[in-house]
Amino acid sequence: MAHAMKPAGFQQTIRRAWLPVLAVALGLLPLTAAAAAPQPDPWWKYAVFYEIYPRSFQDSNGDGVGDLNGITRRLDYLESLGVDAIWITPFFPSPQVDFGYDISDYVAVDPQYGTLADFDRLVAEAQKHQIRVLVDMVLNHTSDQHPWFIDATRSRHSAAHDFYIWSNGLPDGSGKHRPPNNWTSLFGGSAWEYVPGIDQYYYHRFYRQQPDLNWRNPRVEHAMFEVMRFWLDRGVAGFRLDSVTSLYKDPQLRSAPPLGGRTSQGNAAVSDARTNNLPEVHALLRRMRSMVDHYPGNRVLLGETYVSSTAQLSPWYGGARHDELHLPMDTAFAFATRLDAREFRRRLTEAGTQLQGSQPLLLLDNHDRTRSWDRFGDGVHNADIAKVLATVLLTARSAVLLYQGEEIGQATATPVRVEDVRDPIGITGWPREKGRDGERTPMQWDNSPQAGFTVSTHPWLPVTPGYEKVNAQSERRDFDSVLNWHRKLIALRRNDPALRGGRLVLLDADNPRVLTYARVTPEGSGVLVSVNMSAQSQTITVSGNSAGLAGTRFRTLLSSPIDIDVAAGGRITLPAFGAWVGAVE
Ligand code: NOJ
């Protein structure tokens, strides 16, 4: 894709942001004029972010595990897809109990993924492709092999002891003790682990090898902000903040109200009110935002923000002040399960009205969830359904997050035998919980052995069957592929002012099967989008009048299948899971 199609690059943005400041300094602009100059929208507002799970993206050294040089090798592909930024899940030194989410050194690269020099080269090369790089910041916990935790477990008086959350436990009546409360780990069992050497328990929200940090200790904040500066100074465009809602826990360690029922790991379900979403986190996020905003170039904070409704996301932006996360993920949207026009209409309405003017970040897939291909697919029309989903994702008013493989229609491949499972929760939870290997299988590049992911005969997870057909190379050659549909949508979104910044106006709002909306610029030009979320052909009449669009002629911009046409008067027939995007003129 030509560079000219891209919005201003990293350097340009930095230059633009500093230009008025410089002009004032040089006396070329009066202070008031510079202050009044309208600020261009930051790059992230309309960005397409692309999540890379580095273990499974591209292996460059034949060990069966993806690496940073592999990502560098695939930058041409990412540029041709049209993404603005990549978020790379953790590649820091780690015992890999949670495949990188257990970090033992925050300012280095795990040798199996490469070196710091490889990372610097990746950032520099990505910049040449007009792609920014975000890294994953795991602030909630470290690995139990991190030097802080090793020190913390040496003695109750060691320097780093208070970096973690400790309890002496409660007497159990037989001269011994038990954990201080009923908190459970999301990955199964009690959230408390006993350390005999110091006769104390530590808290872990995830695996016991992932002790939670104590954010009530200002030294933790100081140390972690230093880590973030290390990567910001290396040129990262921002962070995805892991488990950011759970940084603070109840200081009194009170037990959580039981919810009834069992978790997928077989534990009695308890409320997370004592360990998640505590109000203290917001002051921290304001300090973090201010630190990050001091860097030029509009660095960005994405948040892993599992909340149960879109409205609950607003505080994570800082509400009306907009001074916390730039883009918390709309996980409520991501949790849509049924391809139902009413449900998607509702979620788009919520994203448009409940965030106090903040920009939504919509997504459907990530490395922790069964892929949308399987969640929404009916086994017959999966490719068309994938195109319908991509259409909504990429034409709604939002920033977008895609997960590697989503753009080619990669399927989930959940292990069928427990002995093949690599994700520990799939081993302990089998067969009720089979883990997350299925959505982490290697990226399918071509139809060669191991799908072009590795030259090793032993990729760390097996390549998903069917890759001979479903792969980036063959889909690139097929005009009608899921990949090319994504490419066309992204190119359109990038170039069409209505699709970038225009208002979203829902149309035909009672239709249970067809989702239709307009995107309208302040000048009144616009685009209509109509997708059939059913397996039956649907005929509707489209009109932009009620959205304030004066035109009566419709020009098809994208259509799947290719031959959807609008008849006189706006009548349009959408076949099963058809998708149409058109300009109103
Ligand atoms: C969320 C990450 O996406 C997931 O993969 C990880 O296991 C947990 N946080 C713990 O870091």
Side-chain angles (χ1 to χ4, degrees), residues 98 101 141 187 206 210 240 242 304 367-368 436 440:
D98 193 14
Y101 281 97
H141 49 269
F187 288 168
F206 299 99
Q210 293 168 299
R240 175 265 191 187
D242 187 66
E304 188 198 25
H367 63 283
D368 293 327
R436 299 163 292 181
R440 298 173 175 182

Side-chain angles (χ1 to χ4, degrees), residues 84 104 152 234 243 247 253 341 343 358 427 462 543 558 562-563:
D84 300 285
S104 52
R234 286 201 114 78
S243 194
L247 300 183
L253 308 184
E343 179 165 351
S358 287
I427 300 170
S543 156
L558 277 179
I562 185 73
D563 51 2

Side-chain angles (χ1 to χ4, degrees), residues 263-582:
T263 67
S264 63
Q265 291 285 335
N267 300 121
V270 298
S271 152
D272 66 357
R274 305 267 188 247
T275 51
N276 194 23
N277 203 5
L278 270 71
E280 294 90 317
V281 71
H282 295 286
L284 165 69
L285 290 181
R286 285 194 286 277
R287 294 193 290 277
M288 190 181 293
R289 168 72 175 257
S290 145
M291 183 267 283
V292 167
D293 278 353
H294 268 92
Y295 281 79
N298 289 306
R299 316 290 171 105
V300 64
L301 294 172
L302 273 53
E304 188 198 25
T305 36
Y306 283 105
V307 292
S308 43
S309 70
T310 299
Q312 289 176 26
L313 266 189
S314 183
W316 297 95
Y317 287 94
R321 293 185 317 274
H322 310 287
D323 58 357
E324 297 186 30
L325 302 176
H326 303 84
L327 293 172
M329 296 175 192
D330 189 343
T331 47
F333 182 89
F335 269 91
T337 46
R338 284 178 311 136
L339 200 59
D340 178 307
R342 285 161 299 202
E343 179 165 351
F344 274 86
R345 201 174 285 127
R346 179 171 62 80
R347 289 177 190 273
L348 289 180
T349 304
E350 287 169 359
T353 57
Q354 300 186 346
L355 299 178
Q356 311 204 49
S358 287
Q359 184 77 338
L361 173 58
L362 299 184
L363 70 152
L364 290 167
D365 283 356
N366 67 26
H367 63 283
D368 293 327
R369 282 202 86 194
T370 301
R371 288 178 177 273
S372 53
W373 177 267
D374 304 278
R375 298 202 318 272
F376 294 97
D378 63 359
V380 179
H381 304 93
N382 282 35
D384 293 325
I385 292 172
K387 289 184 191 172
V388 163
L389 291 169
T391 307
V392 178
L393 202 57
L394 290 160
T395 64
R397 192 186 68 83
S398 70
V400 174
L401 179 54
L402 294 174
Y403 173 48
Q404 69 184 48
E406 183 178 352
E407 77 279 18
I408 59 169
Q410 190 162 326
T412 317
T414 306
V416 289
R417 307 181 318 168
V418 65
E419 49 272 41
D420 296 330
V421 177
R422 301 292 307 272
D423 185 13
I425 52 169
I427 300 170
T428 53
W430 192 273
R432 202 196 312 220
E433 165 64 73
K434 294 183 173 159
R436 299 163 292 181
D437 294 352
E439 50 268 31
R440 298 173 175 182
T441 56
M443 176 70 187
Q444 297 161 198
W445 294 108
D446 57 40
N447 60 10
S448 67
Q450 313 304 345
F453 163 65
T454 179
V455 295
S456 161
T457 49
H458 290 94
W460 83 280
L461 280 177
V463 171
T464 303
Y467 74 85
E468 297 86 349
K469 267 183 73 185
V470 179
N471 64 67
Q473 189 183 60
S474 50
E475 290 195 32
R476 186 61 203 261
R477 296 188 192 121
D478 171 6
F479 175 85
D480 208 22
S481 66
V482 175
L483 173 60
N484 279 328
W485 185 252
H486 278 83
R487 292 180 64 237
K488 288 179 238 176
L489 280 168
I490 294 174
L492 195 61
R493 161 193 175 91
R494 175 167 279 163
N495 291 310
D496 189 297
L499 283 183
R500 276 173 74 75
R503 284 182 300 131
L504 186 150
V505 184
L506 290 167
L507 302 171
D508 195 10
D510 295 322
N511 193 320
R513 298 190 185 86
V514 182
L515 174 66
T516 304
Y517 49 85
R519 298 291 311 280
V520 186
T521 66
E523 296 75 37
S525 67
V527 166
L528 288 183
V529 178
S530 197
V531 292
N532 179 0
M533 295 192 156
S534 80
Q536 294 82 39
S537 138
Q538 304 288 329
T539 298
I540 60 163
T541 301
V542 286
S543 156
N545 290 355
S546 57
L549 294 172
T552 49
R553 284 182 40 240
F554 303 96
R555 184 166 51 87
T556 298
L557 298 169
L558 277 179
S559 137
S560 163
I562 185 73
D563 51 2
I564 299 176
D565 220 351
V566 187
R571 270 177 85 74
I572 179 171
T573 298
L574 297 157
F577 305 109
W580 177 83
V581 183

Side-chain angles (χ1 to χ4, degrees), residues 24-94:
V24 173
L26 297 174
L28 300 175
L29 260 182
L31 190 57
T32 44
Q39 289 295 309
D41 279 332
W43 67 274
W44 46 261
K45 196 163 174 189
Y46 308 112
V48 176
F49 296 88
Y50 184 91
E51 179 193 350
I52 292 183
Y53 195 71
R55 282 185 90 71
S56 301
F57 193 61
Q58 176 67 63
D59 176 18
S60 75
N61 62 359
D63 64 359
V65 174
D67 45 46
L68 295 179
N69 287 338
I71 301 174
T72 307
R73 232 172 81 186
R74 293 297 185 179
L75 286 169
D76 285 345
Y77 169 81
L78 295 169
E79 182 176 359
S80 87
L81 177 58
V83 304
D84 300 285
I86 53 176
W87 142 40
I88 312 173
T89 67
F91 50 81
F92 317 108
S94 160

